[in-house]
């Protein structure tokens, strides 16, 4: 995915993690048995082999077919934000379960990209991570997604990632929590996308 200009981005993915500025966003498909001791290095080598840009990008990985992605745009209350979300719950996890212990997992993954037209403060970027995560967990609960190891309601999958990108032009959003139009917009996008993606798999 490309944006017309570079967007300031916060990402929890594999490449371009943390804070960066970029106009290039990848959601790479990998087999469900994918394994690498150095996934970021392997990812860069893969992109170089494909002769595509591998520097100053945001890169996530998923074992979900990319054709099954959900793409939506929200406009209202002066807010404009688009989302691209892929969702699989084969490795669903309840992170709050007492039985939960560290383990290795291949990428099943709920990957969420958000593109905001506006200027976000650092706090607003982080609040959108919270809004997206809260909406994901609530929607998984409503859909009855279960952690197969603990038999409890899943809070996510073991390899979820989020990328929030903002044009840093236009209206200023100092906050983006659950009481704001922007936070609520992201939550609506997460809910409708997960309902679409996961109901189609059932």
């Amino acid at each position: 995915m490309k944006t017309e200009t570079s967007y300031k981005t916060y990402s929890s993915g594999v490449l371009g993690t943390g804070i960066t500025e970029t106009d290039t966003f990848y959601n790479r498909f990998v087999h469900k048995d994918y394994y690498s001791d150095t996934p970021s290095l392997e990812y860069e080598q893969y992109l170089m082999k494909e002769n595509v840009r591998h520097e100053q990008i945001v890169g996530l990985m998923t074992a979900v077919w990319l054709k099954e992605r959900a793409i939506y745009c929200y406009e209202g209350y002066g807010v404009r934000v688009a989302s691209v979300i892929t969702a699989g719950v084969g490795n669903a996890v309840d992170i709050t379960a007492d039985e939960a212990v560290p383990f290795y997992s291949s990428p099943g993954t709920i990957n969420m990209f958000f593109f905001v037209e506006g200027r976000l403060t650092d706090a607003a970027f982080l609040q959108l991570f919270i809004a997206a995560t809260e909406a994901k967990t609530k929607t998984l609960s409503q859909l009855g997604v279960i952690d197969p190891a603990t038999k409890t309601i899943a809070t996510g999958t073991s390899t979820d990632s989020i990328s929030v990108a903002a044009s840093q032009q236009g209206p200023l959003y100092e906050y983006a929590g659950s009481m704001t139009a922007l936070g609520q917009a992201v939550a609506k996008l997460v809910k409708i996308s997960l309902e679409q993606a996961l109901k189609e798999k059932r």
Side-chain angles (χ1 to χ4, degrees):
M1 296 172 280
K2 294 274 289 184
T3 51
E4 291 185 357
T5 60
S6 289
Y7 278 34
K8 183 176 180 179
T9 305
Y10 280 55
S11 173
S12 65
V14 183
L15 294 180
T17 57
I19 306 169
T20 189
E21 290 203 12
T22 184
D23 62 359
T24 304
F25 303 81
Y26 293 119
N27 194 19
R28 175 189 169 196
F29 171 80
V30 296
H31 190 273
K32 64 180 181 179
D33 295 328
Y34 171 90
Y35 176 81
S36 173
D37 287 326
T38 55
S40 60
L41 177 60
E42 188 280 333
Y43 203 152
E44 288 185 345
Q45 292 172 338
Y46 167 80
L47 294 176
M48 286 189 283
K49 183 179 177 183
E50 295 294 316
N51 292 317
V52 295
R53 180 173 161 186
H54 65 280
E55 297 174 325
Q56 201 173 349
I57 61 134
V58 167
L60 278 55
M61 287 198 290
T62 180
V64 176
W65 293 110
L66 299 181
K67 66 181 181 180
E68 297 176 356
R69 65 191 181 278
I71 304 173
Y72 286 98
C73 183
Y74 176 94
E75 290 190 60
Y77 298 96
V79 168
R80 186 176 181 205
V81 54
S83 64
V84 180
I85 295 176
T86 51
V89 291
N91 52 348
V93 168
D94 175 8
I95 196 171
T96 67
D98 292 337
E99 302 90 336
V101 293
F103 65 99
Y104 171 78
S105 176
S106 58
T109 303
I110 297 172
N111 280 349
M112 302 189 281
F113 293 87
F114 302 100
F115 300 92
V116 180
E117 298 304 323
R119 293 176 291 143
L120 301 188
T121 63
D122 288 340
F125 271 104
L126 296 175
Q127 287 163 349
L128 287 184
F129 271 67
I130 296 171
T133 302
E134 289 179 350
K136 175 188 70 176
T137 300
K138 178 67 179 291
T139 306
L140 293 181
S141 175
Q142 290 178 327
L143 293 174
V145 176
I146 300 294
D147 176 339
T150 64
K151 310 303 181 190
T152 53
I153 292 290
T155 55
T157 84
S158 52
T159 53
D160 293 347
S161 290
I162 299 176
S163 166
V164 177
S167 64
Q168 297 303 81
Q169 299 179 24
L172 172 65
Y173 299 102
E174 190 169 1
Y175 304 106
S178 57
M179 65 183 290
T180 68
L182 182 54
Q184 293 170 8
V186 163
K188 289 179 172 63
L189 292 169
V190 171
K191 181 180 180 182
I192 193 172
S193 297
L194 292 184
E195 287 177 344
Q196 173 189 316
L198 298 180
K199 284 182 177 177
E200 288 177 356
K201 296 177 186 300
R202 295 184 164 198

